[in-house]
Amino acid sequence: MDSFLIFWILIILLIIGLTIGLIYLGYWIPKRFGKRKLGKWIVGILSIAVLTFILSVVFEDELFFKSDAKELIAEHNIELKDNFELNSNEFTGIKDFYHRFELTISESDNLRITNKIINAENYQHLVDKPIDIRVDKPRYSDSNNDEEFTANYQTEREYIYEYYKPNERGYTPTYHRISILKAENILIYENISD
C-alpha cells in the first residue's frame, strides 16, 4: 500500500479518535462533578460542531457560491461587473487538488477580460496548443523570493491567462488558469495543485 495513503488513513483515524474522546470527556468530566445536564449541553454543542464540519467537507461543491467565484477571479485583477451564472463547480483530490468552475458571463465582461489578456505585455497571438507556464520554472522558492509568472495568450478556441507562483518547500506551487471561450461567453477557472 502507498505510504502516503497509510499516512492519511492514520491521520484520519487519529482525528476521529480525538474527536470521540473529546466529546466523551465533555460529558464525563461534568458528570463526575454532578453536572450531568452541563455535560449533555457540551456534548450537544461539540456534536453539532463536528457534524457541521463533516457536512461542509462532504457538500463542499454545493457550498460554493457566485461570490466565492468572483473573489477567486478578483485575485488576478479580473472583475466581473455584470451578473453571471455559475454553471458548474467541482473539487477533486487530496494529494493532487483540482478545482474547476465555469461561469456564463456577459458580453461586456467577456470583451473587457479578453482585451485585458490581449493588451498584456507578455501576450502571444494564436498559439498552437495551450502553454503550461510551469515548464522550466522552479517548483519551490526560498522565503525571500516572491517570484510570480504569468502568461497571456490565445489559441484557436480561447483566450487564456495563466498564473504560477512557486512556494516554499512543503507547499505545492500556486497554479491558476482562466480561459475565455471564443464561441461563447464562458469563463473557466482552474486551480491545479500537484
Side-chain angles (χ1 to χ4, degrees):
M1 194 181 271
D2 186 4
S3 61
F4 178 79
L5 186 61
I6 292 171
F7 170 77
W8 280 107
I9 289 172
L10 290 175
I11 292 293
I12 290 169
L13 289 175
L14 179 66
I15 290 170
I16 291 170
L18 288 173
T19 303
I20 291 171
L22 184 65
I23 291 172
Y24 177 75
L25 285 175
Y27 176 74
W28 183 78
I29 291 173
K31 180 184 171 201
R32 190 92 168 143
F33 290 104
K35 306 281 185 184
R36 188 173 176 178
K37 197 172 191 177
L38 176 64
K40 287 181 179 180
W41 274 99
I42 291 172
V43 166
I45 291 169
L46 289 175
S47 298
I48 289 170
V50 168
L51 189 61
T52 301
F53 174 75
I54 290 170
L55 290 175
S56 71
V57 170
V58 170
F59 295 107
E60 188 172 28
D61 287 349
E62 288 78 14
L63 296 173
F64 185 80
F65 301 105
K66 288 170 65 170
S67 59
D68 299 321
K70 200 170 185 175
E71 277 180 34
L72 288 173
I73 293 169
E75 289 177 5
H76 300 285
N77 297 319
I78 296 174
E79 185 181 359
L80 295 173
K81 293 186 177 181
D82 300 328
N83 193 22
F84 61 92
E85 292 300 317
L86 179 60
N87 300 336
S88 66
N89 178 54
E90 61 183 79
F91 291 91
T92 58
I94 293 174
K95 184 176 180 181
D96 295 331
F97 175 77
Y98 179 73
H99 178 205
R100 179 187 189 277
F101 61 81
E102 183 179 296
L103 308 175
T104 299
I105 60 175
S106 71
E107 184 73 38
S108 62
D109 278 343
N110 184 334
L111 187 60
R112 198 167 20 75
I113 297 167
T114 300
N115 284 334
K116 180 179 172 70
I117 292 171
I118 291 172
N119 294 323
E121 266 184 45
N122 60 357
Y123 172 73
Q124 295 177 24
H125 183 72
L126 279 179
V127 175
D128 291 335
K129 60 182 183 177
I131 299 170
D132 188 347
I133 194 172
R134 300 173 290 181
V135 174
D136 300 331
K137 304 288 188 296
R139 184 159 172 81
Y140 301 107
S141 70
D142 57 24
S143 58
N144 300 329
N145 187 1
D146 282 339
E147 198 168 22
E148 300 175 337
F149 303 94
T150 61
N152 292 277
Y153 58 95
Q154 155 181 195
T155 65
E156 226 176 272
R157 290 186 58 236
E158 55 198 353
Y159 295 95
I160 299 171
Y161 164 83
E162 288 188 18
Y163 172 85
Y164 177 76
K165 181 178 186 226
N167 293 316
E168 294 180 41
R169 288 205 178 276
Y171 297 95
T172 57
T174 303
Y175 175 61
H176 299 159
R177 181 178 170 185
I178 298 173
S179 309
I180 304 288
L181 300 184
K182 289 182 178 180
E184 305 172 70
N185 290 329
I186 300 288
L187 181 146
I188 299 169
Y189 172 93
E190 296 170 285
N191 175 0
I192 304 167
S193 299
D194 57 358

